[in-house]
């Protein structure tokens, strides 16, 4: 079934599939199990970034706990402060990068870097 979508000003909308041409991207969610209540709001922690997901949110493990911190790269050791804590989940704000990731320090960069 094909029709016009009023929200997009009449752009085609495929109702059967529920998508617009070009496809809307879904956000990836980082899921983890709450392991305890060791982190406290307003305190500083140092941890290692395990993985990242869109939009630039990283899963950081510190002292056996997990927190979400923005603007990090997998493999970095970072210092962050906890901003929010709800239902066993923590969100933090990046303060500084203690140790760079191997992704940042590798010599196998593009030979055209800086020329393009």
């Amino acid at each position: 079934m094909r029709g016009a979508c009023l929200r997009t000003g009449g752009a085609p909308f495929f109702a059967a599939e529920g998508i617009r041409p070009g496809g809307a991207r879904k956000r990836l969610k980082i899921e983890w199990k709450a392991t305890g209540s060791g982190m406290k709001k307003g305190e500083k922690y140092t941890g290692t970034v395990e993985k990242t997901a869109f939009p630039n949110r990283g899963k950081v493990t510190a002292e056996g706990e997990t927190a979400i911190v923005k603007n990090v790269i997998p493999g970095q050791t970072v210092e962050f402060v906890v901003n929010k804590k709800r239902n066993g989940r923590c969100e933090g704000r990046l303060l500084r990068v203690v140790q760079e990731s191997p992704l940042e320090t590798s010599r196998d960069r593009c030979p055209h870097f800086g020329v393009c």
Side-chain angles (χ1 to χ4, degrees):
M1 183 174 174
R2 187 173 178 170
C5 180
L6 298 177
R7 282 190 235 163
T8 61
F13 178 77
F14 299 94
E17 295 88 16
I19 59 171
R20 289 187 179 85
R25 294 185 184 182
K26 292 184 179 180
R27 283 188 169 186
L28 297 175
K29 292 184 179 180
I30 299 176
E31 296 184 14
W32 70 89
K33 293 180 181 177
T35 56
S37 59
M39 288 190 179
K40 295 183 179 178
K41 185 176 175 181
E43 290 193 13
K44 293 181 184 179
Y45 295 95
T46 303
T48 305
V49 182
E50 293 179 11
K51 64 180 181 178
T52 58
F54 181 81
N56 204 14
R57 297 165 52 126
K59 179 180 175 183
V60 179
T61 304
E63 300 178 9
E65 298 287 324
T66 305
I68 299 297
V69 180
K70 290 185 178 181
N71 302 324
V72 293
I73 299 173
Q76 285 181 331
T77 301
V78 296
E79 185 176 319
F80 64 97
V81 63
V82 176
N83 286 344
K84 293 181 185 177
K85 183 174 181 186
R86 292 186 183 155
N87 301 327
R89 298 179 183 168
C90 296
E91 288 188 22
R93 180 174 49 90
L94 179 67
L95 296 177
R96 69 184 182 101
V97 177
V98 178
Q99 183 179 0
E100 292 183 340
S101 167
L103 298 173
E104 294 176 281
T105 59
S106 68
R107 298 262 181 206
D108 301 337
R109 296 183 180 168
C110 176
H112 305 289
F113 179 75
V115 177
C116 305

